[in-house]
Amino acid sequence: MVNLVALTRIKNQESLVNEIIIQLSQAILEGDFKPGDKLLSEAQLCEKLGVGRNSLREAIKMLNAIGVLETKRGQGTFLAKEISHDVFNPLIFKLILEPKCAKDIYELRVLLETIVILMAIKKATAEDITEVKTIVLKTKELLENGHNNIESFVELDMQFHLTVAKATHNHLVETILATVITIFEPFIKKVLLSENGISLSIKNHTNLIQIIEQKNIIEAMNAVKKSLDEFMY
């Protein structure tokens, strides 16, 4: 297990998640630990950085999303075995760290979702569509069984979009969406928590699947914008 001696207690309590990401990233760039190394435990990192578990988990989730860290259930969090230094590109960190305007996030998401759906229409296989349908079915089952853990629904919602991106069979598109989807997560959660939010999400996702199956390019752009209207408002 790596001992990140370079980590220090965070003084700026107003931007904890950003500060955690910066410290961990700096430790990686400076070679304080090697690919595949296991990080300190969650409790130890919280103590060393002087932060709470929620802030630490959010930072680790973001670093997981861009392929820097890998969290394994029951084992801990590890530095990825292979890391492209492109993930430390200033543009990627700017997207993750800077304050977000809801309107800007909305417009970015409409742009990305439209591109993804149009590409999926052209390239998705029967297996891809089955995989996406399985996620929607699982979401329905949780809702019908009275499951009330919102985080489970948020995770499935994000998984839906990532799986549709996978159906484009374009690694760059997958990577871009996987990188920026953490920006969308708080807004996705807000929508799902609204009245009938989960049911509406299931309806919209089902509609998008039908559009991909029917290869309806004309309807695709309208459907994306319609399904994201509640995201903004």
Side-chain angles (χ1 to χ4, degrees), residues 38 71-76 78:
K38 183 178 180 180
T71 299
K72 301 177 182 178
R73 285 189 178 180
Q75 297 182 51
F78 300 78

Side-chain angles (χ1 to χ4, degrees), residues 43-191:
Q44 290 172 314
L45 280 173
C46 286
E47 174 64 26
K48 194 166 186 65
L49 293 167
V51 299
R53 290 178 183 268
N54 288 340
S55 296
L56 179 65
R57 287 172 182 171
E58 186 65 24
I60 287 177
K61 183 187 295 184
M62 289 184 176
L63 290 173
N64 266 310
I66 61 174
V68 174
L69 298 178
E70 182 181 0
T71 299
K72 301 177 182 178
R73 285 189 178 180
Q75 297 182 51
T77 299
F78 300 78
L79 179 64
K81 292 183 179 179
E82 292 184 12
I83 301 176
S84 167
H85 276 249
D86 289 343
V87 301
F88 298 107
N89 183 297
L91 174 59
I92 292 177
F93 268 72
K94 184 179 178 66
L95 285 170
I96 293 175
L97 299 179
E98 77 171 10
K100 284 86 176 172
C101 165
K103 182 174 180 291
D104 290 347
I105 297 296
Y106 168 77
E107 291 174 348
L108 174 62
R109 191 173 174 197
V110 168
L111 173 66
L112 291 177
E113 296 280 5
T114 301
I115 291 170
V116 168
I117 293 297
L118 290 176
M119 290 186 69
I121 284 174
K122 290 183 65 177
K123 295 185 175 183
T125 65
E127 290 76 14
D128 293 328
I129 293 172
T130 297
E131 189 174 356
V132 178
K133 284 182 175 179
T134 299
I135 295 170
V136 175
L137 181 60
K138 185 173 181 181
T139 306
K140 284 182 180 178
E141 289 174 350
L142 286 181
L143 183 62
E144 290 169 358
N145 291 332
H147 190 79
N148 58 9
N149 182 356
I150 190 62
E151 299 301 333
S152 298
F153 290 106
V154 172
E155 184 177 343
L156 284 167
D157 194 294
M158 293 171 67
Q159 188 181 345
F160 172 87
H161 294 288
L162 291 172
T163 305
V164 174
K166 180 182 171 186
T168 67
H169 297 275
N170 184 308
H171 180 66
L172 289 176
V173 171
E174 285 187 66
T175 301
I176 290 170
L177 192 61
T179 299
V180 301
I181 199 165
T182 54
I183 300 172
F184 303 149
E185 183 176 356
F187 298 90
I188 291 173
K189 184 174 182 178
K190 180 180 179 181
V191 169

